[in-house]
Amino acid sequence: MVVTWTTFNKTESEVEYGPAGAPLFEMSAKGDATVFVDSGEEKRKMFIHRVTLTNLKPAATYVYHCGSDDGWSDVFFFTALNDSSSFSPRFALYGDLGNENPQSLARLQKEAQQGLYDAILHIGDFAYDMHEDNARIGDEFMRQIQSVAAYVPYMTCPGNHEATYNFSNYRNRFSMPGQTESLWYSWNLGSAHIISFSTEVYFYLQFGLELLFKQYEWLKRDLEEANRPENRAERPWIITMGHRPMYCSDDDQDDCNVFFVDEWLHTHFHRVCFTGVDVELWAHEHTYERLWPVYGDKVHNGSLEKPYVNPKAPVHIITGSAGCRERTDRFNPNPKAWSAFRSTDYGYSRMHVVNATHLYLEQVSDDQDGKVIDNIWVVKEKHGFSAWS
């Protein structure tokens, strides 16, 4: 488990921790701090601390605080992730959460501390925006999500609102697996292989084409490895998360028009993602939308009566209505045939990877006091490209 925090002075990087129920802080680990200088006018400097806790007992709860003898944080707790492929992890999913109008945050804070989730997936767009006011908005936002991210692994991908100064606030503030400054990576939990990637490398070409090609080659290799028979047998579900959706039906300028969709459909990216991916998670649109199984702009349901039982294409979920200053979006009144359910309520999604064949998804409406307004079971008796032939 990696613990990340920020100070405005140079200090030591230390975490003191121990199993819940034991005397506090029997164990300690030290790490390093990197200097982050924001590119705003004030060139504010901060120290980003990272400490890795190793040899944790899977599924055990630990109590910890972080800091140094110059000052310590509050006391928090977390549960070390279960490393069994038969584990049934539960996730909260959302994107587009701001520090102003963070409508869903209070409910997420409570549920995270109640232990409802094993991990959070924040699918791009943070704070609105982290670089603003010489990165003070970023500081404020990180303090806001502390009451979630200090208790549960907080997994991220970049969105368009992180683009200023070449995504520098995002690259420096988060600590995802791999060596890509959190831009793309993959990890395993339970029976799922989860891939996070940057849709933004296709849009911010002024930062160079290198990232686009590097990510593509990495994604190809990662999917090839995940689809090896022995790996697919252990982690049959392949789930991706990226900020901008391939499909959507919002009435939001050019985000969801035919040109945008066709541009995606005919790139190598969509073809690669068809290589055995079961569920694709998106945000960017400030709404919730569930699609029928879709590929090539065509619906590929498992059957008319049971569309999500042995579907013949990936299942797409768009969940970008957690709450931000830009409010929610409106829908196009005439969606395409692949649009199955839509809501403009503020809210977030939940996902439960139950076992090798069953995955449950639901949408929570914060406007309706936490009511579940949509839910599906995705059932796959066989995974991989052969399941769609």
Side-chain angles (χ1 to χ4, degrees), residues 228-270:
R228 288 165 64 100
E230 63 272 26
N231 293 332
R232 202 75 200 240
E234 185 177 11
R235 315 276 183 186
W237 294 98
I238 297 181
I239 299 166
T240 65
M241 60 185 255
H243 183 61
R244 300 196 202 210
M246 291 186 187
Y247 304 90
C248 57
S249 63
D250 282 24
D251 184 12
D252 190 11
Q253 297 179 359
D254 62 350
D255 277 358
C256 303
N257 68 16
V258 174
F259 172 78
F260 180 79
V261 173
D262 281 353
E263 186 177 46
W264 276 99
L265 288 175
H266 293 102
T267 61
H268 49 240
F269 180 80
H270 198 4

Side-chain angles (χ1 to χ4, degrees), residues 9 197 241 273 290 317 333:
N9 301 98
F197 62 91
M241 60 185 255
C273 266
R290 168 172 55 84
I317 299 290

Side-chain angles (χ1 to χ4, degrees), residues 91-95 120-124 157 194-197 199 238-246 277-284 288-289 314-320 349-351 353 359-361:
F91 304 83
L93 332 165
Y94 53 86
I120 307 295
L121 307 183
H122 188 145
I123 311 170
C157 71
I194 303 168
I195 299 171
S196 174
F197 62 91
T199 56
I238 297 181
I239 299 166
T240 65
M241 60 185 255
H243 183 61
R244 300 196 202 210
M246 291 186 187
V277 175
D278 300 296
V279 177
E280 302 187 25
L281 307 172
W282 313 95
H284 190 57
Y288 167 75
E289 187 166 13
V315 176
H316 294 246
I317 299 290
I318 303 159
T319 177
S349 306
R350 296 182 183 131
M351 178 173 69
V353 183
L359 183 148
Y360 177 73
L361 288 154

Side-chain angles (χ1 to χ4, degrees), residues 201-202 204-215:
V201 298
Y202 291 88
Y204 292 95
L205 301 181
Q206 67 267 36
F207 299 133
L209 292 173
E210 182 185 4
L211 287 178
L212 189 157
F213 292 116
K214 284 178 70 173
Q215 177 176 257

Side-chain angles (χ1 to χ4, degrees), residues 116-136:
L116 264 65
Y117 307 117
D118 299 293
I120 307 295
L121 307 183
H122 188 145
I123 311 170
D125 279 7
F126 306 80
Y128 281 72
D129 292 341
M130 287 193 286
H131 72 277
E132 291 187 6
D133 192 13
N134 293 280
R136 289 184 180 88

Side-chain angles (χ1 to χ4, degrees), residues 120-354:
I120 307 295
L121 307 183
H122 188 145
I123 311 170
D125 279 7
F126 306 80
Y128 281 72
D129 292 341
M130 287 193 286
H131 72 277
E132 291 187 6
D133 192 13
N134 293 280
R136 289 184 180 88
I137 297 299
D139 297 341
E140 185 176 330
F141 179 77
M142 299 304 278
R143 285 190 284 269
Q144 285 174 293
I145 64 167
Q146 173 180 280
S147 47
V148 177
Y151 298 93
V152 182
Y154 202 88
M155 311 303 287
T156 65
C157 71
N160 56 296
H161 277 267
E162 285 68 72
T164 301
Y165 311 134
N166 196 6
F167 298 86
S168 62
N169 268 269
Y170 175 82
R171 291 170 184 250
N172 281 277
R173 292 181 184 271
F174 293 102
S175 307
M176 297 300 107
Q179 304 297 319
T180 66
E181 296 180 302
S182 304
L183 295 177
W184 61 81
Y185 59 92
S186 64
W187 57 298
N188 299 319
L189 192 59
S191 56
H193 179 69
I194 303 168
I195 299 171
S196 174
F197 62 91
S198 172
T199 56
E200 304 315 297
V201 298
Y202 291 88
F203 292 87
Y204 292 95
L205 301 181
Q206 67 267 36
F207 299 133
L209 292 173
E210 182 185 4
L211 287 178
L212 189 157
F213 292 116
K214 284 178 70 173
Q215 177 176 257
Y216 172 61
E217 292 301 327
W218 172 86
L219 182 60
K220 265 198 346 182
R221 290 194 304 271
D222 191 86
L223 281 167
E224 287 168 1
E225 185 69 19
N227 275 298
R228 288 165 64 100
E230 63 272 26
N231 293 332
R232 202 75 200 240
E234 185 177 11
R235 315 276 183 186
W237 294 98
I238 297 181
I239 299 166
T240 65
M241 60 185 255
H243 183 61
R244 300 196 202 210
M246 291 186 187
Y247 304 90
C248 57
S249 63
D250 282 24
D251 184 12
D252 190 11
Q253 297 179 359
D254 62 350
D255 277 358
C256 303
N257 68 16
V258 174
F259 172 78
F260 180 79
V261 173
D262 281 353
E263 186 177 46
W264 276 99
L265 288 175
H266 293 102
T267 61
H268 49 240
F269 180 80
H270 198 4
R271 292 196 296 273
V272 167
C273 266
F274 190 60
T275 310
V277 175
D278 300 296
V279 177
E280 302 187 25
L281 307 172
W282 313 95
H284 190 57
E285 309 306 323
H286 298 170
T287 51
Y288 167 75
E289 187 166 13
R290 168 172 55 84
L291 276 55
W292 301 118
V294 60
Y295 177 74
D297 212 25
K298 294 186 174 67
V299 173
H300 295 272
N301 288 344
S303 68
L304 190 62
E305 299 79 17
K306 298 179 179 179
Y308 297 105
V309 175
N310 298 317
K312 305 300 184 185
V315 176
H316 294 246
I317 299 290
I318 303 159
T319 177
S321 59
C324 67
R325 69 187 180 196
E326 294 182 0
R327 311 296 167 177
T328 54
D329 291 331
R330 297 176 301 174
F331 282 116
N332 185 322
N334 301 301
K336 289 197 171 187
W338 36 252
S339 183
F341 181 90
R342 310 188 295 179
S343 173
T344 59
D345 285 6
Y346 286 110
Y348 53 94
S349 306
R350 296 182 183 131
M351 178 173 69
H352 184 193
V353 183
V354 178

